[in-house]
Amino acid sequence: MIDHYRQTTHARLDSIADLPSDTPYPLFLEELESAIGDALAQLPEKSQQIFRLKKFEDKTTREIAEMLAMPERTVEYHYTQAARTLKILLSGFLSLLIWLFSSSTF
């Protein structure tokens, strides 16, 4: 049952992320972007930087380590901590989005 929920959740989140910019739900996309920005702002500066490089600029752990002159393990630590914190900070918002999109018809 948990695996089914995870698969369903990931499929719905993927479909939300893939919505074109002219979607009838631009407010939700703006809200999501705002919530992510607010959550990132609560992270330590180094964790923010590493998370942004890895997720938004598609840098590898090795590339980030070289750019920031730090061990790869340190980069992994900061990324893991940032991802865990963001998951907690965004869990309520994402649950609401999942509920809204699962209860409406496209």
Side-chain angles (χ1 to χ4, degrees):
M1 184 167 147
I2 291 173
D3 288 335
H4 173 72
Y5 175 76
R6 285 182 182 155
Q7 290 171 349
T8 305
T9 301
H10 288 301
R12 288 186 186 141
L13 290 178
D14 289 344
S15 67
I16 292 168
D18 293 336
L19 288 173
S21 59
D22 63 345
T23 179
Y25 303 101
L27 179 60
F28 294 118
L29 298 177
E30 289 175 19
E31 291 288 331
L32 177 58
E33 186 176 332
S34 177
I36 291 170
D38 291 345
L40 277 171
Q42 294 182 43
L43 298 175
E45 186 176 328
K46 191 61 69 178
S47 296
Q48 282 183 44
Q49 182 181 22
I50 290 169
F51 187 86
R52 288 177 193 277
L53 288 168
K54 190 160 184 79
K55 280 299 188 183
F56 301 139
E57 296 183 26
D58 293 323
K59 301 289 185 193
T60 66
T61 300
R62 175 170 279 152
E63 290 172 329
I64 296 169
E66 290 173 1
M67 287 173 63
L68 302 178
M70 63 176 48
E72 288 183 41
R73 299 279 297 188
T74 303
V75 171
E76 291 170 359
Y77 171 80
H78 279 282
Y79 176 77
T80 301
Q81 293 301 314
R84 285 180 182 161
T85 302
L86 289 173
K87 182 177 177 181
I88 292 166
L89 293 173
L90 295 171
S91 65
F93 184 84
L94 293 177
S95 297
L96 175 62
L97 274 179
I98 291 167
W99 176 78
L100 286 171
F101 280 97
S102 67
S103 64
S104 64
T105 57
F106 284 97

